[in-house]
Amino acid sequence: MPLNRRTFLESSAAIGAGAALTAGTVAPAAAQERRPRPAKRYSFTVMGTTDLHGNVLNWDYFTDKEFDDKAHNDVGLAKISTLVNQVRAAKGRRNTLLIDAGDTIQGTQLSYYYAKIDPITQAGGPVHPMAQAMNAIGYDAAALGNHEFNYGIPVLRKFEEQCDFPLLGANALDAKTLRPAFPPYSLHRLRTPHGKDVRVAVLGLTNPGIAIWDKANVNGKMVFPGLEEQAAKWVPKLRSMGADVVIVSAHSGSSGTSSYGDQLPHIENAAGLVAEQVPGIDAILVGHAHTEIPEYRIANKETGREVVLSEPLKWGQRLTLFDFDLVWEKGRWTVEKVAAQVLNSNTVEEDPEITGLLADEHKKVVEYVNTVIGTSTAAMTTADAPWKDEPIIDLINVVQAETVKAALAGGAHAALPVLSQASCFSRTARIPAGQITIKDAAGLYPFENTLEARLMTGAQLKEYLEYSAKYYVQTPAGAPVDTAKLTNADNTPDYNYDAVYGLTYEIDIAKPAGQRITGLSFEGKPLDPAATFVLAVNNYRASGGGAFPHVAKAEQLWANSDEIRNTIIQWVRAKGTVDPAQFASVGWKLTRDGVPVF
């Protein structure tokens, strides 16, 4: 008899009934005890780096030797590559992604060389070493950091062109159209053993501080709204597009604070607020703050679900691992569990593929930084600079003051006295007696800051110095002074302690913060609160970095686009000989009840 739908259904029913009858006579409870099928599950790992700052090899170009610090950390993508290879071998490469949270192309003399000396933007120019290394390692996506804009948009666009992965910035918008100037997100499919792909979305967010820190490069071209606002816009879109997992790569710390005061209506370190306020996020790779956070959980206010945050330490010292466990429910993949940890790059050797790939570039930069540009009559060091007025900091200040004086010459403010601020950026910087090389001079100023001139009054400068002096831990008169515990009060970094050159003053560390500046004078006379001065100041501070009072709102008289360290190098070249006796002085000192501490 031919098989048709009716006969098929009748025969199937008869067979089913017979089977049930037979089963019923043998084991009546079997059907009731039948176990449900086990749920489909899948696990994958997202690896993350941040704040690489031009570190490819485990090398310090400012000292021209292998990198080392007190904790014996290592740096660089060559080390990260080895860790990544180990994770991929353990998890299966198809079960991993690799992302970054920004600040990639600035920070070492290697990155400076390929932006300024042999720039990637020239016709037929080189491929940026960071692009070469990250392509070779196999990055899947990277968020934009604020320092990506330091060398101007053309350099950034060329770097973007050279990368085999997208540079993401959902809140980096074209100033005219208010549309994203870079891809807001990237989508990735991970194949599972169950025939159902996992769709992972990576949303990139950058720092709104770019608008003020790199105003000269982005003003009128791009705007940078708040992270929470843009995350709230894009996360629902990604979910509606079918994303099973949403990861945010945010070049923004987790503390909810800003270092530039009220200069912008957006929070600088907003990653924690994004987790708290925007539903639908599973994990956030945090950047910008240069801190190590292996795992930090924040409950979303709307859903109550925990969002897992992790920040690996800067320069490639750590690699974050987000481990995701998913379950197939109701026709889709659902995140069941997320955990995070960090791996230390000092536990592995450099990947020879990466070191070999960039051997020529490394050699060129080593030769460059060892170029002799002058001589010094005496050795100078920053070893004691956090608590003493040292000639090496005076060198930075005299270069800045002379540069501003020359720039203002012949203008309306030429007659005003010029003061200068500088910080101890590195406690290991030194100028040797004898030959001075580029690396020696550049080592005084490891940041890409540029120089400005701002108009300040004596009263404002007094408040500026009081704010700076909060850097010291209050130490009673007569109590022992341990320099290891004297500085960095309330986690104030060294670069947020300013000494002002051109004034004379004492800092009484026995007194509470805000009441420490005594004997403040100019040219031997008490400082007139109403007097007007020009302050030579770096663009970070002038833009509100560190939240120092008055300077960000002070009138700008002049600004330069060249890095201060370049200005120092040019100054040394022009002088030929650096003699501390010609510029060094003890303009400030620490005291307790009028008695010098040192």
Side-chain angles (χ1 to χ4, degrees):
M1 183 174 66
L3 186 66
N4 56 35
R5 182 173 183 272
R6 181 177 179 181
T7 56
F8 173 76
L9 291 174
E10 288 173 349
S11 62
S12 297
I15 293 169
L21 206 60
T22 304
T25 60
V26 176
Q32 298 175 13
E33 294 176 358
R34 190 174 296 152
R35 294 180 180 177
R37 290 182 180 179
K40 296 176 182 178
R41 283 186 160 78
Y42 175 67
S43 298
F44 71 97
T45 297
V46 176
M47 298 173 281
T49 55
T50 190
D51 296 280
L52 292 168
H53 283 288
N55 286 280
V56 176
L57 307 181
N58 187 40
W59 195 261
D60 185 344
Y61 291 99
F62 294 125
T63 61
D64 197 23
K65 60 184 180 183
E66 185 175 310
F67 177 89
D68 195 24
D69 61 13
K70 291 180 180 179
H72 301 297
N73 288 302
D74 288 342
V75 301
L77 280 168
K79 292 268 184 172
I80 290 295
S81 183
T82 302
L83 289 175
V84 168
N85 289 338
Q86 290 179 352
V87 173
R88 285 172 174 164
K91 309 279 186 178
R93 176 157 186 159
R94 65 193 296 174
N95 302 320
T96 65
L97 293 172
L98 176 60
I99 63 176
D100 184 79
D103 275 7
T104 304
I105 59 171
Q106 171 277 335
T108 63
Q109 286 294 285
L110 180 76
S111 53
Y112 178 82
Y113 187 88
Y114 287 98
K116 293 288 190 177
I117 308 303
D118 187 12
I120 62 174
T121 48
Q122 63 185 317
V127 177
H128 199 289
M130 294 300 288
Q132 291 190 56
M134 295 175 82
N135 290 341
I137 296 169
Y139 273 78
D140 294 289
L144 294 165
N146 54 284
H147 283 287
E148 258 67 83
F149 295 84
N150 284 173
Y151 296 119
I153 292 174
V155 170
L156 175 54
R157 288 299 189 190
K158 188 64 179 180
F159 175 70
E160 179 187 30
E161 177 187 315
Q162 294 176 342
C163 291
D164 295 340
F165 51 91
L167 300 182
L168 309 177
N171 62 327
L173 309 182
D174 182 275
K176 294 180 180 178
T177 66
L178 297 183
R179 293 177 178 174
F182 294 85
Y185 61 87
S186 59
L187 292 172
H188 311 268
R189 283 183 176 267
L190 298 178
R191 183 152 301 179
T192 75
H194 307 293
K196 303 290 185 180
D197 292 352
V198 171
R199 293 160 295 187
V200 181
V202 179
L203 178 67
L205 295 170
T206 192
N207 205 288
I210 295 165
I212 54 173
W213 299 327
D214 269 301
K215 183 178 180 180
N217 291 326
V218 302
N219 192 36
K221 300 174 183 176
M222 294 185 193
V223 293
F224 303 88
L227 283 82
E228 310 99 302
E229 166 195 330
Q230 293 300 303
K233 172 183 176 180
W234 285 102
V235 171
K237 288 186 178 181
L238 295 173
R239 289 293 184 183
S240 68
M241 292 164 63
D244 302 302
V245 180
V246 173
I247 302 165
V248 174
S249 184
H251 193 75
S252 179
S254 62
S255 65
T257 61
S258 292
S259 67
Y260 49 80
D262 60 356
Q263 293 301 295
L264 277 182
H266 308 301
I267 299 297
E268 175 186 358
N269 296 303
L273 296 175
V274 170
E276 186 179 76
Q277 297 176 12
V278 181
I281 298 169
D282 297 298
I284 301 179
L285 178 65
V286 179
H288 183 62
H290 289 203
T291 58
E292 182 178 344
I293 305 174
E295 183 184 82
Y296 179 37
R297 295 176 178 270
I298 295 179
N300 183 267
K301 283 186 174 181
E302 183 174 324
T303 66
R305 290 197 59 180
E306 284 189 335
V307 182
V308 177
L309 287 72
S310 180
E311 181 176 5
L313 200 58
K314 64 185 186 297
W315 304 346
Q317 295 179 37
R318 303 289 186 274
L319 175 71
T320 277
L321 303 186
F322 289 106
D323 292 312
F324 290 85
D325 293 333
L326 276 63
V327 62
W328 182 261
E329 289 180 336
K330 299 178 181 177
R332 66 171 302 162
W333 288 108
T334 302
V335 175
E336 192 173 45
K337 179 184 175 185
V338 186
Q341 60 175 309
V342 294
L343 304 182
N344 194 328
S345 64
N346 73 3
T347 62
V348 297
E349 298 297 320
E350 291 183 304
D351 183 349
E353 179 186 350
I354 304 303
T355 57
L357 179 68
L358 294 169
D360 290 343
E361 287 84 349
H362 174 66
K363 182 180 178 182
K364 285 181 182 178
V365 177
V366 168
E367 290 174 354
Y368 164 74
V369 299
N370 282 289
T371 303
V372 175
I373 55 174
T375 60
S376 177
T377 61
M380 295 177 278
T381 175
T382 55
D384 294 335
W387 48 84
K388 291 182 182 178
D389 187 351
E390 291 287 288
I392 197 167
I393 304 299
D394 290 341
L395 173 59
I396 298 173
N397 274 319
V398 75
V399 171
Q400 293 182 161
E402 289 188 4
T403 301
V404 167
K405 283 179 183 177
L408 298 180
H413 301 92
L416 290 178
V418 177
L419 312 176
S420 177
Q421 63 77 224
S423 305
C424 175
F425 296 115
S426 166
R427 297 193 183 195
T428 59
R430 61 185 296 272
I431 297 292
Q435 291 184 334
I436 304 174
T437 63
I438 285 176
K439 75 172 186 288
D440 297 326
L444 296 183
Y445 225 107
F447 297 106
E448 305 291 335
N449 295 344
T450 58
L451 190 60
E452 295 190 17
R454 297 281 178 133
L455 200 62
M456 302 274 282
T457 67
Q460 290 174 332
L461 287 163
K462 169 72 160 51
E463 292 184 34
Y464 186 101
L465 290 170
E466 286 286 10
Y467 182 87
S468 182
K470 71 183 180 67
Y471 169 74
Y472 295 104
V473 174
Q474 188 172 0
T475 309
V481 175
D482 181 357
T483 55
K485 300 176 181 178
L486 178 63
T487 62
N488 308 104
D490 296 323
N491 295 315
T492 302
D494 290 347
Y495 61 76
N496 273 347
Y497 170 64
D498 286 0
V500 174
Y501 182 81
L503 299 176
T504 302
Y505 57 96
E506 297 178 359
I507 303 172
D508 192 333
I509 60 173
K511 294 180 179 178
Q515 303 173 31
R516 292 178 171 175
I517 303 300
T518 62
L520 182 57
S521 62
F522 173 69
E523 293 185 343
K525 298 178 181 179
L527 185 68
D528 180 358
T532 306
F533 298 86
V534 177
L535 181 66
V537 58
N538 69 56
N539 68 308
Y540 173 77
R541 187 72 76 240
S543 297
F548 277 62
H550 305 301
V551 63
K553 295 181 180 179
E555 181 184 353
Q556 183 192 75
L557 305 180
W558 172 84
N560 187 15
S561 62
D562 204 7
E563 290 89 352
I564 291 171
R565 65 181 172 204
N566 228 21
T567 304
I568 295 171
I569 291 168
Q570 293 163 2
W571 187 90
V572 172
R573 271 189 167 136
K575 291 285 184 181
T577 300
V578 175
D579 182 2
Q582 296 180 355
F583 57 80
S585 63
V586 180
W588 63 272
K589 58 187 175 184
L590 301 185
T591 62
R592 289 183 295 183
D593 294 342
V595 179
V597 176
F598 301 104

mmCIF file of all heavy atoms in Angstrom, residues 165-189:
data_model
loop_
_atom_site.group_PDB
_atom_site.id
_atom_site.type_symbol
_atom_site.label_atom_id
_atom_site.label_comp_id
_atom_site.label_asym_id
_atom_site.label_seq_id
_atom_site.Cartn_x
_atom_site.Cartn_y
_atom_site.Cartn_z
ATOM 1 N N PHE A 165 42.425 45.109 12.706
ATOM 2 C CA PHE A 165 41.297 45.041 13.628
ATOM 3 C C PHE A 165 40.727 46.452 13.778
ATOM 4 O O PHE A 165 41.431 47.436 13.534
ATOM 5 C CB PHE A 165 41.755 44.510 15.001
ATOM 6 C CG PHE A 165 42.932 45.245 15.557
ATOM 7 C CD1 PHE A 165 42.769 46.355 16.382
ATOM 8 C CD2 PHE A 165 44.226 44.850 15.238
ATOM 9 C CE1 PHE A 165 43.850 47.047 16.875
ATOM 10 C CE2 PHE A 165 45.328 45.544 15.737
ATOM 11 C CZ PHE A 165 45.143 46.637 16.557
ATOM 12 N N PRO A 166 39.477 46.583 14.171
ATOM 13 C CA PRO A 166 38.872 47.916 14.257
ATOM 14 C C PRO A 166 39.286 48.675 15.519
ATOM 15 O O PRO A 166 39.482 48.083 16.585
ATOM 16 C CB PRO A 166 37.373 47.623 14.278
ATOM 17 C CG PRO A 166 37.277 46.255 14.877
ATOM 18 C CD PRO A 166 38.493 45.511 14.400
ATOM 19 N N LEU A 167 39.419 49.997 15.387
ATOM 20 C CA LEU A 167 39.588 50.902 16.524
ATOM 21 C C LEU A 167 38.209 51.463 16.848
ATOM 22 O O LEU A 167 37.600 52.139 16.016
ATOM 23 C CB LEU A 167 40.562 52.034 16.198
ATOM 24 C CG LEU A 167 41.989 51.628 15.809
ATOM 25 C CD1 LEU A 167 42.833 52.880 15.572
ATOM 26 C CD2 LEU A 167 42.626 50.751 16.869
ATOM 27 N N LEU A 168 37.721 51.188 18.042
ATOM 28 C CA LEU A 168 36.336 51.483 18.399
ATOM 29 C C LEU A 168 36.220 52.734 19.262
ATOM 30 O O LEU A 168 37.020 52.953 20.168
ATOM 31 C CB LEU A 168 35.738 50.295 19.161
ATOM 32 C CG LEU A 168 35.881 48.912 18.514
ATOM 33 C CD1 LEU A 168 35.293 47.845 19.426
ATOM 34 C CD2 LEU A 168 35.232 48.882 17.139
ATOM 35 N N GLY A 169 35.196 53.527 18.989
ATOM 36 C CA GLY A 169 34.943 54.719 19.802
ATOM 37 C C GLY A 169 33.521 55.208 19.623
ATOM 38 O O GLY A 169 33.265 56.133 18.834
ATOM 39 N N ALA A 170 32.582 54.606 20.335
ATOM 40 C CA ALA A 170 31.172 54.974 20.173
ATOM 41 C C ALA A 170 30.903 56.417 20.576
ATOM 42 O O ALA A 170 29.936 57.019 20.118
ATOM 43 C CB ALA A 170 30.291 54.028 20.993
ATOM 44 N N ASN A 171 31.742 56.969 21.461
ATOM 45 C CA ASN A 171 31.539 58.357 21.886
ATOM 46 C C ASN A 171 32.604 59.295 21.329
ATOM 47 O O ASN A 171 32.841 60.367 21.878
ATOM 48 C CB ASN A 171 31.457 58.472 23.410
ATOM 49 C CG ASN A 171 32.731 58.026 24.096
ATOM 50 O OD1 ASN A 171 33.432 57.121 23.631
ATOM 51 N ND2 ASN A 171 33.062 58.660 25.212
ATOM 52 N N ALA A 172 33.225 58.916 20.215
ATOM 53 C CA ALA A 172 34.083 59.822 19.449
ATOM 54 C C ALA A 172 33.294 60.197 18.201
ATOM 55 O O ALA A 172 33.215 59.419 17.246
ATOM 56 C CB ALA A 172 35.403 59.154 19.086
ATOM 57 N N LEU A 173 32.683 61.377 18.230
ATOM 58 C CA LEU A 173 31.734 61.760 17.191
ATOM 59 C C LEU A 173 32.288 62.863 16.301
ATOM 60 O O LEU A 173 33.051 63.728 16.753
ATOM 61 C CB LEU A 173 30.419 62.248 17.816
ATOM 62 C CG LEU A 173 29.768 61.350 18.869
ATOM 63 C CD1 LEU A 173 28.463 61.973 19.341
ATOM 64 C CD2 LEU A 173 29.554 59.937 18.352
ATOM 65 N N ASP A 174 31.906 62.847 15.053
ATOM 66 C CA ASP A 174 32.220 63.941 14.141
ATOM 67 C C ASP A 174 31.530 65.205 14.644
ATOM 68 O O ASP A 174 30.337 65.192 14.958
ATOM 69 C CB ASP A 174 31.730 63.590 12.732
ATOM 70 C CG ASP A 174 32.063 64.677 11.725
ATOM 71 O OD1 ASP A 174 31.267 65.639 11.622
ATOM 72 O OD2 ASP A 174 33.098 64.569 11.060
ATOM 73 N N ALA A 175 32.274 66.285 14.739
ATOM 74 C CA ALA A 175 31.747 67.510 15.341
ATOM 75 C C ALA A 175 30.588 68.106 14.540
ATOM 76 O O ALA A 175 29.712 68.769 15.113
ATOM 77 C CB ALA A 175 32.861 68.539 15.493
ATOM 78 N N LYS A 176 30.549 67.877 13.244
ATOM 79 C CA LYS A 176 29.503 68.468 12.411
ATOM 80 C C LYS A 176 28.262 67.581 12.330
ATOM 81 O O LYS A 176 27.131 68.052 12.471
ATOM 82 C CB LYS A 176 30.043 68.745 11.009
ATOM 83 C CG LYS A 176 31.130 69.824 10.983
ATOM 84 C CD LYS A 176 31.636 70.065 9.574
ATOM 85 C CE LYS A 176 32.719 71.149 9.564
ATOM 86 N NZ LYS A 176 33.271 71.371 8.188
ATOM 87 N N THR A 177 28.463 66.299 12.097
ATOM 88 C CA THR A 177 27.328 65.408 11.893
ATOM 89 C C THR A 177 26.851 64.738 13.179
ATOM 90 O O THR A 177 25.727 64.222 13.228
ATOM 91 C CB THR A 177 27.690 64.304 10.899
ATOM 92 O OG1 THR A 177 28.707 63.449 11.472
ATOM 93 C CG2 THR A 177 28.211 64.896 9.599
ATOM 94 N N LEU A 178 27.721 64.730 14.197
ATOM 95 C CA LEU A 178 27.465 64.033 15.466
ATOM 96 C C LEU A 178 27.257 62.529 15.263
ATOM 97 O O LEU A 178 26.621 61.856 16.069
ATOM 98 C CB LEU A 178 26.279 64.647 16.211
ATOM 99 C CG LEU A 178 26.464 66.104 16.660
ATOM 100 C CD1 LEU A 178 25.249 66.569 17.450
ATOM 101 C CD2 LEU A 178 27.747 66.263 17.483
ATOM 102 N N ARG A 179 27.818 62.030 14.183
ATOM 103 C CA ARG A 179 27.830 60.592 13.955
ATOM 104 C C ARG A 179 29.190 60.030 14.378
ATOM 105 O O ARG A 179 30.179 60.759 14.398
ATOM 106 C CB ARG A 179 27.569 60.286 12.476
ATOM 107 C CG ARG A 179 26.163 60.664 12.020
ATOM 108 C CD ARG A 179 25.985 60.402 10.539
ATOM 109 N NE ARG A 179 24.625 60.709 10.105
ATOM 110 C CZ ARG A 179 24.230 60.681 8.843
ATOM 111 N NH1 ARG A 179 25.082 60.339 7.892
ATOM 112 N NH2 ARG A 179 22.977 60.978 8.531
ATOM 113 N N PRO A 180 29.252 58.744 14.693
ATOM 114 C CA PRO A 180 30.539 58.175 15.129
ATOM 115 C C PRO A 180 31.635 58.377 14.087
ATOM 116 O O PRO A 180 31.438 58.087 12.902
ATOM 117 C CB PRO A 180 30.218 56.694 15.316
ATOM 118 C CG PRO A 180 28.753 56.659 15.622
ATOM 119 C CD PRO A 180 28.149 57.759 14.798
ATOM 120 N N ALA A 181 32.762 58.883 14.529
ATOM 121 C CA ALA A 181 33.909 59.096 13.642
ATOM 122 C C ALA A 181 34.727 57.823 13.488
ATOM 123 O O ALA A 181 35.590 57.734 12.603
ATOM 124 C CB ALA A 181 34.785 60.223 14.190
ATOM 125 N N PHE A 182 34.471 56.847 14.358
ATOM 126 C CA PHE A 182 35.114 55.537 14.316
ATOM 127 C C PHE A 182 34.022 54.485 14.511
ATOM 128 O O PHE A 182 32.924 54.811 14.982
ATOM 129 C CB PHE A 182 36.168 55.413 15.423
ATOM 130 C CG PHE A 182 37.337 56.330 15.263
ATOM 131 C CD1 PHE A 182 37.283 57.638 15.729
ATOM 132 C CD2 PHE A 182 38.497 55.889 14.646
ATOM 133 C CE1 PHE A 182 38.360 58.496 15.577
ATOM 134 C CE2 PHE A 182 39.585 56.739 14.492
ATOM 135 C CZ PHE A 182 39.526 58.045 14.950
ATOM 136 N N PRO A 183 34.293 53.224 14.181
ATOM 137 C CA PRO A 183 33.284 52.198 14.441
ATOM 138 C C PRO A 183 32.905 52.173 15.925
ATOM 139 O O PRO A 183 33.800 52.151 16.779
ATOM 140 C CB PRO A 183 33.982 50.898 14.029
ATOM 141 C CG PRO A 183 35.056 51.315 13.083
ATOM 142 C CD PRO A 183 35.507 52.672 13.543
ATOM 143 N N PRO A 184 31.623 52.176 16.256
ATOM 144 C CA PRO A 184 31.229 52.141 17.667
ATOM 145 C C PRO A 184 31.458 50.773 18.306
ATOM 146 O O PRO A 184 31.746 50.683 19.499
ATOM 147 C CB PRO A 184 29.738 52.471 17.634
ATOM 148 C CG PRO A 184 29.472 53.006 16.262
ATOM 149 C CD PRO A 184 30.483 52.378 15.370
ATOM 150 N N TYR A 185 31.325 49.718 17.492
ATOM 151 C CA TYR A 185 31.353 48.367 18.042
ATOM 152 C C TYR A 185 31.903 47.402 17.000
ATOM 153 O O TYR A 185 32.036 47.727 15.811
ATOM 154 C CB TYR A 185 29.940 47.923 18.448
ATOM 155 C CG TYR A 185 28.976 47.882 17.277
ATOM 156 C CD1 TYR A 185 28.864 46.745 16.466
ATOM 157 C CD2 TYR A 185 28.189 48.986 16.958
ATOM 158 C CE1 TYR A 185 28.014 46.719 15.378
ATOM 159 C CE2 TYR A 185 27.324 48.966 15.870
ATOM 160 C CZ TYR A 185 27.244 47.828 15.076
ATOM 161 O OH TYR A 185 26.411 47.812 13.998
ATOM 162 N N SER A 186 32.191 46.188 17.439
ATOM 163 C CA SER A 186 32.517 45.091 16.529
ATOM 164 C C SER A 186 31.730 43.862 16.971
ATOM 165 O O SER A 186 31.444 43.698 18.162
ATOM 166 C CB SER A 186 34.018 44.788 16.524
ATOM 167 O OG SER A 186 34.467 44.442 17.822
ATOM 168 N N LEU A 187 31.354 43.015 16.011
ATOM 169 C CA LEU A 187 30.588 41.808 16.289
ATOM 170 C C LEU A 187 31.412 40.582 15.923
ATOM 171 O O LEU A 187 32.070 40.558 14.869
ATOM 172 C CB LEU A 187 29.283 41.805 15.493
ATOM 173 C CG LEU A 187 28.238 42.848 15.900
ATOM 174 C CD1 LEU A 187 27.083 42.863 14.907
ATOM 175 C CD2 LEU A 187 27.719 42.565 17.305
ATOM 176 N N HIS A 188 31.373 39.583 16.784
ATOM 177 C CA HIS A 188 32.190 38.390 16.598
ATOM 178 C C HIS A 188 31.330 37.150 16.823
ATOM 179 O O HIS A 188 30.524 37.105 17.754
ATOM 180 C CB HIS A 188 33.366 38.393 17.583
ATOM 181 C CG HIS A 188 34.114 39.685 17.592
ATOM 182 N ND1 HIS A 188 35.212 39.928 16.798
ATOM 183 C CD2 HIS A 188 33.892 40.846 18.284
ATOM 184 C CE1 HIS A 188 35.653 41.159 17.005
ATOM 185 N NE2 HIS A 188 34.859 41.741 17.897
ATOM 186 N N ARG A 189 31.506 36.140 15.974
ATOM 187 C CA ARG A 189 30.784 34.882 16.128
ATOM 188 C C ARG A 189 31.746 33.798 16.590
ATOM 189 O O ARG A 189 32.817 33.608 15.993
ATOM 190 C CB ARG A 189 30.149 34.462 14.800
ATOM 191 C CG ARG A 189 28.884 35.236 14.462
ATOM 192 C CD ARG A 189 28.276 34.722 13.164
ATOM 193 N NE ARG A 189 27.007 35.378 12.874
ATOM 194 C CZ ARG A 189 25.824 34.917 13.230
ATOM 195 N NH1 ARG A 189 25.745 33.772 13.899
ATOM 196 N NH2 ARG A 189 24.714 35.566 12.926
#
